[in-house]
Amino acid sequence: MRRDVFQAIADPTRRAILLLIAAQAMTPNALAEHFDTTRQAVSKHLRILTECELVKQDHNGREIYYRLEVTKMKEIDKWLDQFRKLWESRFNELDNVLLTIKNDKK
Amino acid sequence: MRRDVFQAIADPTRRAILLLIAAQAMTPNALAEHFDTTRQAVSKHLRILTECELVKQDHNGREIYYRLEVTKMKEIDKWLDQFRKLWESRFNELDNVLLTIKNDKK
DNA sequence: AATATAAGCAACTAATTGGTTGCACAAAAG
DNA sequence: CTTTTGTGCAACCAATTAGTTGCTTATATT
C-alpha cells in the first residue's frame, strides 16, 4: 500500500476533510453532511488519511472524532523547502536561463 | 481533465522530475536517463506537469528543455498556509481538545 | 430486552492512472 | 537527399481509485 501524504492530498474531498477538521475535530457522520457522497465514502477517505497519519482518532463512546495531525502536514512543507529558495530568489528566472545555456554547450 | 497541482505531485516520479529540473532545465531524453522507465512514460509525466503549468517548455531546435515554473509551486505553499498557523502555535494540541469538548456539549 | 444510531468492513463497479509498444513528424547530420 | 535523433501522440493494458450497496459490531436510547 503506497500511502504517502502526497497521494492522500491529491483528492479534493480529502483536502476538504483536512480543512474541516483543522478547524474542529469531527465525526464521520458530521463530515459526511458537508459532502455530496455517502458516509461510507467519507469513511474510506478517513481510512486513507489515517493510514498515512494525517489524521488521528479520538474515541468517545461510539463516536470517533477525527482530528488533524499537524506534524504530518509539515512533511509537505518540508518537501516544498527544496524549492522555496528558488522563489525567494529574485534571480530565479535568470538562473534558469543561465543553466539552460550551460547545458547547451555540452 | 482534472489537472490540478495536487494530483500532479501525487506521483513520486513526477516529484523526482520536478526536483531534477529545479536544479537545471532538462530535455525529456536527459530526464528519462534518471528513471527506470521508457522515454514515453517520462514524456507523459511532462505533459501532465505542463497541463497544470508546473513546468514550461523552452524550444531549442528539435530539443525541448523543461523548466520548473516556480510560481505554480507557490500554490501548494499557499494551500499549506491555511494549516501553518496550527503548527506554529504551541497551543495547537490544547486547541483541538477544547474544540472537541465544545462539540460534545451540543 | 428491543430498537436506533455510529461506525467499520467487504464485495462489486466504473473511471482513472501509469505504463507499454508502435507510429508520425520535424530538425540535425551524413 | 537519406539517415539518425529528439519528441509527441494514439492505442492498448494492468493496476489503482473513488464510489456504491449491503452487512456486522458496538454503544445509546426507549
Side-chain angles (χ1 to χ4, degrees), chain B residues 43-85:
Chain B
S43 211
K44 254 182 144 180
H45 284 304
L46 285 170
R47 199 179 125 180
I48 289 166
L49 291 170
T50 306
E51 277 171 3
C52 74
E53 299 190 286
L54 268 172
V55 308
K56 294 278 179 190
Q57 308 180 341
D58 285 323
H59 292 260
N60 186 334
R62 70 181 157 179
E63 290 180 320
I64 303 180
Y65 282 86
Y66 285 85
R67 75 182 137 78
L68 186 68
E69 186 65 19
V70 195
T71 318
K72 207 67 181 181
M73 292 289 291
K74 284 191 214 173
E75 247 182 48
I76 306 162
D77 196 51
K78 207 180 157 190
W79 181 76
L80 270 184
D81 257 345
Q82 302 176 288
F83 303 97
R84 196 159 283 127
K85 62 179 182 302

mmCIF file of all heavy atoms in Angstrom, chain B residues 43-85:
data_model
loop_
_atom_site.group_PDB
_atom_site.id
_atom_site.type_symbol
_atom_site.label_atom_id
_atom_site.label_comp_id
_atom_site.label_asym_id
_atom_site.label_seq_id
_atom_site.Cartn_x
_atom_site.Cartn_y
_atom_site.Cartn_z
ATOM 1 N N SER B 43 7.684 11.356 -20.839
ATOM 2 C CA SER B 43 7.017 12.347 -21.686
ATOM 3 C C SER B 43 5.582 12.588 -21.219
ATOM 4 O O SER B 43 5.104 13.715 -21.191
ATOM 5 C CB SER B 43 7.021 11.860 -23.131
ATOM 6 O OG SER B 43 7.076 12.951 -24.011
ATOM 7 N N LYS B 44 4.922 11.486 -20.855
ATOM 8 C CA LYS B 44 3.548 11.581 -20.364
ATOM 9 C C LYS B 44 3.488 12.373 -19.060
ATOM 10 O O LYS B 44 2.610 13.207 -18.874
ATOM 11 C CB LYS B 44 2.985 10.174 -20.143
ATOM 12 C CG LYS B 44 1.970 9.732 -21.181
ATOM 13 C CD LYS B 44 1.463 8.365 -20.838
ATOM 14 C CE LYS B 44 0.000 8.201 -21.165
ATOM 15 N NZ LYS B 44 -0.493 6.848 -20.829
ATOM 16 N N HIS B 45 4.454 12.107 -18.196
ATOM 17 C CA HIS B 45 4.516 12.852 -16.934
ATOM 18 C C HIS B 45 4.729 14.345 -17.211
ATOM 19 O O HIS B 45 4.102 15.191 -16.588
ATOM 20 C CB HIS B 45 5.641 12.313 -16.055
ATOM 21 C CG HIS B 45 5.318 11.014 -15.389
ATOM 22 N ND1 HIS B 45 4.214 10.840 -14.590
ATOM 23 C CD2 HIS B 45 5.948 9.818 -15.398
ATOM 24 C CE1 HIS B 45 4.180 9.600 -14.139
ATOM 25 N NE2 HIS B 45 5.227 8.951 -14.615
ATOM 26 N N LEU B 46 5.606 14.612 -18.166
ATOM 27 C CA LEU B 46 5.888 16.015 -18.509
ATOM 28 C C LEU B 46 4.640 16.702 -19.056
ATOM 29 O O LEU B 46 4.415 17.885 -18.816
ATOM 30 C CB LEU B 46 7.023 16.083 -19.529
ATOM 31 C CG LEU B 46 8.420 15.818 -18.956
ATOM 32 C CD1 LEU B 46 9.439 15.672 -20.072
ATOM 33 C CD2 LEU B 46 8.842 16.923 -17.993
ATOM 34 N N ARG B 47 3.845 15.933 -19.788
ATOM 35 C CA ARG B 47 2.615 16.504 -20.333
ATOM 36 C C ARG B 47 1.663 16.894 -19.208
ATOM 37 O O ARG B 47 1.074 17.991 -19.226
ATOM 38 C CB ARG B 47 1.943 15.486 -21.267
ATOM 39 C CG ARG B 47 0.957 16.115 -22.212
ATOM 40 C CD ARG B 47 0.331 15.096 -23.121
ATOM 41 N NE ARG B 47 -1.116 15.149 -23.044
ATOM 42 C CZ ARG B 47 -1.921 14.357 -23.736
ATOM 43 N NH1 ARG B 47 -1.409 13.447 -24.543
ATOM 44 N NH2 ARG B 47 -3.208 14.464 -23.629
ATOM 45 N N ILE B 48 1.556 16.007 -18.224
ATOM 46 C CA ILE B 48 0.692 16.289 -17.068
ATOM 47 C C ILE B 48 1.210 17.515 -16.314
ATOM 48 O O ILE B 48 0.442 18.416 -15.969
ATOM 49 C CB ILE B 48 0.618 15.053 -16.150
ATOM 50 C CG1 ILE B 48 -0.205 13.959 -16.825
ATOM 51 C CG2 ILE B 48 0.017 15.416 -14.798
ATOM 52 C CD1 ILE B 48 -0.093 12.599 -16.192
ATOM 53 N N LEU B 49 2.522 17.557 -16.116
ATOM 54 C CA LEU B 49 3.121 18.692 -15.411
ATOM 55 C C LEU B 49 2.938 19.985 -16.198
ATOM 56 O O LEU B 49 2.758 21.059 -15.619
ATOM 57 C CB LEU B 49 4.607 18.429 -15.150
ATOM 58 C CG LEU B 49 4.936 17.327 -14.138
ATOM 59 C CD1 LEU B 49 6.416 16.995 -14.146
ATOM 60 C CD2 LEU B 49 4.486 17.728 -12.746
ATOM 61 N N THR B 50 2.971 19.874 -17.529
ATOM 62 C CA THR B 50 2.770 21.049 -18.377
ATOM 63 C C THR B 50 1.321 21.519 -18.307
ATOM 64 O O THR B 50 1.051 22.714 -18.204
ATOM 65 C CB THR B 50 3.134 20.729 -19.842
ATOM 66 O OG1 THR B 50 4.463 20.192 -19.883
ATOM 67 C CG2 THR B 50 3.075 21.981 -20.704
ATOM 68 N N GLU B 51 0.394 20.549 -18.353
ATOM 69 C CA GLU B 51 -1.030 20.881 -18.329
ATOM 70 C C GLU B 51 -1.427 21.642 -17.069
ATOM 71 O O GLU B 51 -2.291 22.515 -17.123
ATOM 72 C CB GLU B 51 -1.871 19.609 -18.462
ATOM 73 C CG GLU B 51 -2.040 19.166 -19.903
ATOM 74 C CD GLU B 51 -2.677 17.791 -20.028
ATOM 75 O OE1 GLU B 51 -3.038 17.203 -19.003
ATOM 76 O OE2 GLU B 51 -2.804 17.301 -21.167
ATOM 77 N N CYS B 52 -0.814 21.301 -15.961
ATOM 78 C CA CYS B 52 -1.159 22.035 -14.737
ATOM 79 C C CYS B 52 -0.169 23.171 -14.499
ATOM 80 O O CYS B 52 -0.149 23.771 -13.427
ATOM 81 C CB CYS B 52 -1.257 21.104 -13.543
ATOM 82 S SG CYS B 52 0.311 20.522 -12.952
ATOM 83 N N GLU B 53 0.658 23.423 -15.494
ATOM 84 C CA GLU B 53 1.568 24.579 -15.507
ATOM 85 C C GLU B 53 2.635 24.567 -14.417
ATOM 86 O O GLU B 53 3.091 25.632 -13.996
ATOM 87 C CB GLU B 53 0.760 25.882 -15.451
ATOM 88 C CG GLU B 53 -0.149 26.020 -16.638
ATOM 89 C CD GLU B 53 -0.788 27.404 -16.741
ATOM 90 O OE1 GLU B 53 -1.685 27.677 -15.943
ATOM 91 O OE2 GLU B 53 -0.384 28.188 -17.616
ATOM 92 N N LEU B 54 3.018 23.369 -13.998
ATOM 93 C CA LEU B 54 4.121 23.273 -13.044
ATOM 94 C C LEU B 54 5.460 23.365 -13.759
ATOM 95 O O LEU B 54 6.482 23.682 -13.152
ATOM 96 C CB LEU B 54 4.046 21.966 -12.253
ATOM 97 C CG LEU B 54 3.289 22.014 -10.936
ATOM 98 C CD1 LEU B 54 3.114 20.624 -10.352
ATOM 99 C CD2 LEU B 54 4.011 22.899 -9.929
ATOM 100 N N VAL B 55 5.443 23.052 -15.062
ATOM 101 C CA VAL B 55 6.656 23.195 -15.875
ATOM 102 C C VAL B 55 6.339 23.942 -17.174
ATOM 103 O O VAL B 55 5.195 23.960 -17.618
ATOM 104 C CB VAL B 55 7.295 21.822 -16.216
ATOM 105 C CG1 VAL B 55 7.513 20.993 -14.967
ATOM 106 C CG2 VAL B 55 6.465 21.066 -17.228
ATOM 107 N N LYS B 56 7.379 24.560 -17.734
ATOM 108 C CA LYS B 56 7.242 25.263 -19.008
ATOM 109 C C LYS B 56 8.298 24.719 -19.967
ATOM 110 O O LYS B 56 9.294 24.151 -19.539
ATOM 111 C CB LYS B 56 7.459 26.770 -18.811
ATOM 112 C CG LYS B 56 6.395 27.431 -17.954
ATOM 113 C CD LYS B 56 5.150 27.770 -18.741
ATOM 114 C CE LYS B 56 4.115 28.415 -17.819
ATOM 115 N NZ LYS B 56 2.809 28.551 -18.470
ATOM 116 N N GLN B 57 8.048 24.925 -21.268
ATOM 117 C CA GLN B 57 8.991 24.439 -22.271
ATOM 118 C C GLN B 57 9.825 25.580 -22.842
ATOM 119 O O GLN B 57 9.331 26.678 -23.038
ATOM 120 C CB GLN B 57 8.230 23.781 -23.424
ATOM 121 C CG GLN B 57 7.227 22.727 -23.002
ATOM 122 C CD GLN B 57 6.516 22.106 -24.184
ATOM 123 O OE1 GLN B 57 6.508 22.682 -25.279
ATOM 124 N NE2 GLN B 57 5.937 20.936 -23.987
ATOM 125 N N ASP B 58 11.080 25.254 -23.124
ATOM 126 C CA ASP B 58 11.942 26.152 -23.885
ATOM 127 C C ASP B 58 12.402 25.393 -25.119
ATOM 128 O O ASP B 58 13.199 24.459 -25.015
ATOM 129 C CB ASP B 58 13.176 26.569 -23.053
ATOM 130 C CG ASP B 58 12.814 27.585 -22.004
ATOM 131 O OD1 ASP B 58 11.969 28.449 -22.285
ATOM 132 O OD2 ASP B 58 13.377 27.512 -20.895
ATOM 133 N N HIS B 59 11.877 25.754 -26.272
ATOM 134 C CA HIS B 59 12.258 25.051 -27.508
ATOM 135 C C HIS B 59 13.622 25.536 -27.982
ATOM 136 O O HIS B 59 13.913 26.721 -27.952
ATOM 137 C CB HIS B 59 11.196 25.286 -28.580
ATOM 138 C CG HIS B 59 9.898 24.626 -28.254
ATOM 139 N ND1 HIS B 59 9.524 23.420 -28.810
ATOM 140 C CD2 HIS B 59 8.895 24.987 -27.411
ATOM 141 C CE1 HIS B 59 8.337 23.076 -28.329
ATOM 142 N NE2 HIS B 59 7.927 24.005 -27.485
ATOM 143 N N ASN B 60 14.413 24.576 -28.398
ATOM 144 C CA ASN B 60 15.771 24.874 -28.847
ATOM 145 C C ASN B 60 16.070 23.887 -29.965
ATOM 146 O O ASN B 60 16.575 22.792 -29.728
ATOM 147 C CB ASN B 60 16.748 24.723 -27.669
ATOM 148 C CG ASN B 60 18.143 25.169 -28.036
ATOM 149 O OD1 ASN B 60 18.517 25.133 -29.211
ATOM 150 N ND2 ASN B 60 18.915 25.573 -27.060
ATOM 151 N N GLY B 61 15.728 24.278 -31.191
ATOM 152 C CA GLY B 61 15.858 23.338 -32.305
ATOM 153 C C GLY B 61 14.850 22.220 -32.130
ATOM 154 O O GLY B 61 13.682 22.492 -31.858
ATOM 155 N N ARG B 62 15.315 21.001 -32.219
ATOM 156 C CA ARG B 62 14.381 19.886 -32.017
ATOM 157 C C ARG B 62 14.362 19.448 -30.563
ATOM 158 O O ARG B 62 13.600 18.569 -30.181
ATOM 159 C CB ARG B 62 14.749 18.721 -32.935
ATOM 160 C CG ARG B 62 16.010 18.033 -32.557
ATOM 161 C CD ARG B 62 16.363 16.905 -33.504
ATOM 162 N NE ARG B 62 17.796 16.644 -33.441
ATOM 163 C CZ ARG B 62 18.396 15.701 -34.133
ATOM 164 N NH1 ARG B 62 17.712 14.957 -34.978
ATOM 165 N NH2 ARG B 62 19.687 15.512 -34.025
ATOM 166 N N GLU B 63 15.189 20.056 -29.749
ATOM 167 C CA GLU B 63 15.193 19.743 -28.323
ATOM 168 C C GLU B 63 14.215 20.640 -27.575
ATOM 169 O O GLU B 63 14.024 21.796 -27.934
ATOM 170 C CB GLU B 63 16.595 19.943 -27.733
ATOM 171 C CG GLU B 63 17.605 18.907 -28.195
ATOM 172 C CD GLU B 63 18.966 19.148 -27.601
ATOM 173 O OE1 GLU B 63 19.380 20.317 -27.501
ATOM 174 O OE2 GLU B 63 19.621 18.164 -27.232
ATOM 175 N N ILE B 64 13.609 20.063 -26.539
ATOM 176 C CA ILE B 64 12.707 20.845 -25.700
ATOM 177 C C ILE B 64 13.201 20.778 -24.267
ATOM 178 O O ILE B 64 13.246 19.705 -23.672
ATOM 179 C CB ILE B 64 11.258 20.316 -25.773
ATOM 180 C CG1 ILE B 64 10.765 20.307 -27.221
ATOM 181 C CG2 ILE B 64 10.340 21.149 -24.902
ATOM 182 C CD1 ILE B 64 9.351 19.794 -27.384
ATOM 183 N N TYR B 65 13.592 21.905 -23.730
ATOM 184 C CA TYR B 65 14.019 21.957 -22.338
ATOM 185 C C TYR B 65 12.830 22.252 -21.463
ATOM 186 O O TYR B 65 12.082 23.193 -21.719
ATOM 187 C CB TYR B 65 15.108 23.025 -22.143
ATOM 188 C CG TYR B 65 16.453 22.544 -22.609
ATOM 189 C CD1 TYR B 65 16.840 22.658 -23.948
ATOM 190 C CD2 TYR B 65 17.335 21.929 -21.721
ATOM 191 C CE1 TYR B 65 18.069 22.181 -24.387
ATOM 192 C CE2 TYR B 65 18.562 21.453 -22.152
ATOM 193 C CZ TYR B 65 18.922 21.578 -23.482
ATOM 194 O OH TYR B 65 20.139 21.097 -23.906
ATOM 195 N N TYR B 66 12.667 21.414 -20.458
ATOM 196 C CA TYR B 66 11.595 21.633 -19.489
ATOM 197 C C TYR B 66 12.191 22.293 -18.258
ATOM 198 O O TYR B 66 13.202 21.846 -17.737
ATOM 199 C CB TYR B 66 10.928 20.301 -19.125
ATOM 200 C CG TYR B 66 10.023 19.800 -20.220
ATOM 201 C CD1 TYR B 66 10.532 19.063 -21.281
ATOM 202 C CD2 TYR B 66 8.665 20.074 -20.208
ATOM 203 C CE1 TYR B 66 9.701 18.594 -22.302
ATOM 204 C CE2 TYR B 66 7.827 19.612 -21.213
ATOM 205 C CZ TYR B 66 8.353 18.875 -22.254
ATOM 206 O OH TYR B 66 7.527 18.427 -23.256
ATOM 207 N N ARG B 67 11.524 23.374 -17.838
ATOM 208 C CA ARG B 67 11.996 24.036 -16.628
ATOM 209 C C ARG B 67 10.838 24.203 -15.642
ATOM 210 O O ARG B 67 9.675 24.230 -16.023
ATOM 211 C CB ARG B 67 12.613 25.397 -16.976
ATOM 212 C CG ARG B 67 11.600 26.462 -17.318
ATOM 213 C CD ARG B 67 12.251 27.771 -17.704
ATOM 214 N NE ARG B 67 11.580 28.331 -18.875
ATOM 215 C CZ ARG B 67 10.402 28.962 -18.839
ATOM 216 N NH1 ARG B 67 9.783 29.126 -17.702
ATOM 217 N NH2 ARG B 67 9.852 29.435 -19.941
ATOM 218 N N LEU B 68 11.210 24.324 -14.404
ATOM 219 C CA LEU B 68 10.215 24.446 -13.340
ATOM 220 C C LEU B 68 9.554 25.814 -13.380
ATOM 221 O O LEU B 68 10.213 26.830 -13.598
ATOM 222 C CB LEU B 68 10.898 24.242 -11.982
ATOM 223 C CG LEU B 68 9.984 24.191 -10.757
ATOM 224 C CD1 LEU B 68 9.126 22.949 -10.788
ATOM 225 C CD2 LEU B 68 10.822 24.235 -9.493
ATOM 226 N N GLU B 69 8.238 25.835 -13.209
ATOM 227 C CA GLU B 69 7.505 27.089 -13.091
ATOM 228 C C GLU B 69 7.249 27.315 -11.607
ATOM 229 O O GLU B 69 6.280 26.812 -11.041
ATOM 230 C CB GLU B 69 6.198 27.003 -13.884
ATOM 231 C CG GLU B 69 5.415 28.282 -13.946
ATOM 232 C CD GLU B 69 6.133 29.401 -14.699
ATOM 233 O OE1 GLU B 69 7.067 29.116 -15.484
ATOM 234 O OE2 GLU B 69 5.753 30.564 -14.469
ATOM 235 N N VAL B 70 8.134 28.082 -11.010
ATOM 236 C CA VAL B 70 8.122 28.226 -9.548
ATOM 237 C C VAL B 70 6.816 28.823 -9.046
ATOM 238 O O VAL B 70 6.314 28.453 -7.990
ATOM 239 C CB VAL B 70 9.305 29.099 -9.086
ATOM 240 C CG1 VAL B 70 9.505 28.951 -7.608
ATOM 241 C CG2 VAL B 70 10.552 28.724 -9.839
ATOM 242 N N THR B 71 6.265 29.740 -9.837
ATOM 243 C CA THR B 71 5.015 30.396 -9.445
ATOM 244 C C THR B 71 3.948 29.385 -9.047
ATOM 245 O O THR B 71 3.239 29.572 -8.056
ATOM 246 C CB THR B 71 4.493 31.249 -10.614
ATOM 247 O OG1 THR B 71 5.593 31.933 -11.196
ATOM 248 C CG2 THR B 71 3.456 32.227 -10.136
ATOM 249 N N LYS B 72 3.854 28.335 -9.859
ATOM 250 C CA LYS B 72 2.808 27.337 -9.600
ATOM 251 C C LYS B 72 3.086 26.529 -8.336
ATOM 252 O O LYS B 72 2.153 26.079 -7.664
ATOM 253 C CB LYS B 72 2.709 26.397 -10.807
ATOM 254 C CG LYS B 72 1.341 25.773 -10.981
ATOM 255 C CD LYS B 72 0.286 26.780 -11.343
ATOM 256 C CE LYS B 72 -1.089 26.148 -11.483
ATOM 257 N NZ LYS B 72 -2.098 27.156 -11.866
ATOM 258 N N MET B 73 4.368 26.371 -8.038
ATOM 259 C CA MET B 73 4.730 25.644 -6.814
ATOM 260 C C MET B 73 4.226 26.400 -5.592
ATOM 261 O O MET B 73 3.882 25.798 -4.577
ATOM 262 C CB MET B 73 6.245 25.481 -6.719
ATOM 263 C CG MET B 73 6.847 24.557 -7.746
ATOM 264 S SD MET B 73 6.455 22.812 -7.459
ATOM 265 C CE MET B 73 7.394 22.496 -5.974
ATOM 266 N N LYS B 74 4.172 27.695 -5.723
ATOM 267 C CA LYS B 74 3.709 28.521 -4.597
ATOM 268 C C LYS B 74 2.266 28.216 -4.237
ATOM 269 O O LYS B 74 1.840 28.449 -3.115
ATOM 270 C CB LYS B 74 3.832 30.014 -4.947
ATOM 271 C CG LYS B 74 5.247 30.549 -4.892
ATOM 272 C CD LYS B 74 5.230 32.058 -4.977
ATOM 273 C CE LYS B 74 6.434 32.597 -5.715
ATOM 274 N NZ LYS B 74 6.380 34.025 -5.973
ATOM 275 N N GLU B 75 1.523 27.693 -5.204
ATOM 276 C CA GLU B 75 0.116 27.372 -4.948
ATOM 277 C C GLU B 75 -0.022 26.351 -3.831
ATOM 278 O O GLU B 75 -0.943 26.431 -3.008
ATOM 279 C CB GLU B 75 -0.531 26.809 -6.219
ATOM 280 C CG GLU B 75 -1.575 27.732 -6.789
ATOM 281 C CD GLU B 75 -2.244 27.161 -8.014
ATOM 282 O OE1 GLU B 75 -2.659 25.993 -7.992
ATOM 283 O OE2 GLU B 75 -2.345 27.898 -9.020
ATOM 284 N N ILE B 76 0.900 25.385 -3.828
ATOM 285 C CA ILE B 76 0.897 24.374 -2.775
ATOM 286 C C ILE B 76 1.214 25.045 -1.446
ATOM 287 O O ILE B 76 0.564 24.777 -0.432
ATOM 288 C CB ILE B 76 1.941 23.281 -3.082
ATOM 289 C CG1 ILE B 76 1.710 22.718 -4.480
ATOM 290 C CG2 ILE B 76 1.879 22.172 -2.054
ATOM 291 C CD1 ILE B 76 2.890 21.971 -5.052
ATOM 292 N N ASP B 77 2.178 25.926 -1.499
ATOM 293 C CA ASP B 77 2.571 26.666 -0.308
ATOM 294 C C ASP B 77 1.403 27.484 0.232
ATOM 295 O O ASP B 77 1.173 27.549 1.441
ATOM 296 C CB ASP B 77 3.747 27.583 -0.650
ATOM 297 C CG ASP B 77 4.456 28.076 0.598
ATOM 298 O OD1 ASP B 77 4.807 27.224 1.432
ATOM 299 O OD2 ASP B 77 4.642 29.293 0.731
ATOM 300 N N LYS B 78 0.655 28.057 -0.680
ATOM 301 C CA LYS B 78 -0.496 28.880 -0.306
ATOM 302 C C LYS B 78 -1.558 28.026 0.392
ATOM 303 O O LYS B 78 -2.167 28.454 1.374
ATOM 304 C CB LYS B 78 -1.090 29.505 -1.583
ATOM 305 C CG LYS B 78 -1.827 30.813 -1.357
ATOM 306 C CD LYS B 78 -2.378 31.352 -2.674
ATOM 307 C CE LYS B 78 -3.542 32.286 -2.470
ATOM 308 N NZ LYS B 78 -4.235 32.616 -3.746
ATOM 309 N N TRP B 79 -1.752 26.821 -0.127
ATOM 310 C CA TRP B 79 -2.713 25.904 0.490
ATOM 311 C C TRP B 79 -2.260 25.533 1.897
ATOM 312 O O TRP B 79 -3.051 25.507 2.832
ATOM 313 C CB TRP B 79 -2.882 24.654 -0.381
ATOM 314 C CG TRP B 79 -3.876 23.678 0.161
ATOM 315 C CD1 TRP B 79 -5.237 23.770 0.126
ATOM 316 C CD2 TRP B 79 -3.592 22.448 0.850
ATOM 317 N NE1 TRP B 79 -5.808 22.680 0.730
ATOM 318 C CE2 TRP B 79 -4.822 21.851 1.178
ATOM 319 C CE3 TRP B 79 -2.422 21.786 1.208
ATOM 320 C CZ2 TRP B 79 -4.925 20.630 1.853
ATOM 321 C CZ3 TRP B 79 -2.513 20.578 1.881
ATOM 322 C CH2 TRP B 79 -3.746 20.009 2.188
ATOM 323 N N LEU B 80 -0.969 25.284 2.020
ATOM 324 C CA LEU B 80 -0.390 24.926 3.317
ATOM 325 C C LEU B 80 -0.552 26.039 4.343
ATOM 326 O O LEU B 80 -0.676 25.777 5.538
ATOM 327 C CB LEU B 80 1.086 24.591 3.156
ATOM 328 C CG LEU B 80 1.447 23.142 2.859
ATOM 329 C CD1 LEU B 80 2.944 22.980 2.841
ATOM 330 C CD2 LEU B 80 0.828 22.201 3.889
ATOM 331 N N ASP B 81 -0.570 27.267 3.832
ATOM 332 C CA ASP B 81 -0.715 28.432 4.712
ATOM 333 C C ASP B 81 -1.918 28.307 5.634
ATOM 334 O O ASP B 81 -1.888 28.750 6.778
ATOM 335 C CB ASP B 81 -0.866 29.708 3.873
ATOM 336 C CG ASP B 81 0.428 30.500 3.852
ATOM 337 O OD1 ASP B 81 1.308 30.214 4.685
ATOM 338 O OD2 ASP B 81 0.565 31.394 3.000
ATOM 339 N N GLN B 82 -2.975 27.685 5.116
ATOM 340 C CA GLN B 82 -4.196 27.530 5.903
ATOM 341 C C GLN B 82 -3.966 26.699 7.161
ATOM 342 O O GLN B 82 -4.731 26.794 8.111
ATOM 343 C CB GLN B 82 -5.279 26.865 5.044
ATOM 344 C CG GLN B 82 -5.602 27.624 3.778
ATOM 345 C CD GLN B 82 -6.608 26.869 2.944
ATOM 346 O OE1 GLN B 82 -6.296 25.846 2.353
ATOM 347 N NE2 GLN B 82 -7.835 27.359 2.915
ATOM 348 N N PHE B 83 -2.929 25.859 7.106
ATOM 349 C CA PHE B 83 -2.657 24.990 8.244
ATOM 350 C C PHE B 83 -1.469 25.478 9.069
ATOM 351 O O PHE B 83 -1.299 25.076 10.204
ATOM 352 C CB PHE B 83 -2.374 23.569 7.752
ATOM 353 C CG PHE B 83 -3.488 22.989 6.936
ATOM 354 C CD1 PHE B 83 -3.457 23.035 5.549
ATOM 355 C CD2 PHE B 83 -4.583 22.400 7.558
ATOM 356 C CE1 PHE B 83 -4.486 22.506 4.811
ATOM 357 C CE2 PHE B 83 -5.617 21.868 6.816
ATOM 358 C CZ PHE B 83 -5.571 21.925 5.426
ATOM 359 N N ARG B 84 -0.674 26.335 8.440
ATOM 360 C CA ARG B 84 0.592 26.733 9.068
ATOM 361 C C ARG B 84 0.400 27.319 10.462
ATOM 362 O O ARG B 84 1.160 27.028 11.374
ATOM 363 C CB ARG B 84 1.331 27.713 8.140
ATOM 364 C CG ARG B 84 2.793 27.878 8.501
ATOM 365 C CD ARG B 84 3.585 28.402 7.347
ATOM 366 N NE ARG B 84 3.862 27.378 6.348
ATOM 367 C CZ ARG B 84 3.598 27.476 5.058
ATOM 368 N NH1 ARG B 84 3.037 28.566 4.584
ATOM 369 N NH2 ARG B 84 3.899 26.500 4.237
ATOM 370 N N LYS B 85 -0.643 28.111 10.606
ATOM 371 C CA LYS B 85 -0.875 28.729 11.922
ATOM 372 C C LYS B 85 -1.060 27.667 13.001
ATOM 373 O O LYS B 85 -0.750 27.888 14.157
ATOM 374 C CB LYS B 85 -2.084 29.664 11.865
ATOM 375 C CG LYS B 85 -3.395 28.995 11.512
ATOM 376 C CD LYS B 85 -4.538 29.989 11.505
ATOM 377 C CE LYS B 85 -5.873 29.305 11.204
ATOM 378 N NZ LYS B 85 -5.872 28.585 9.887
#
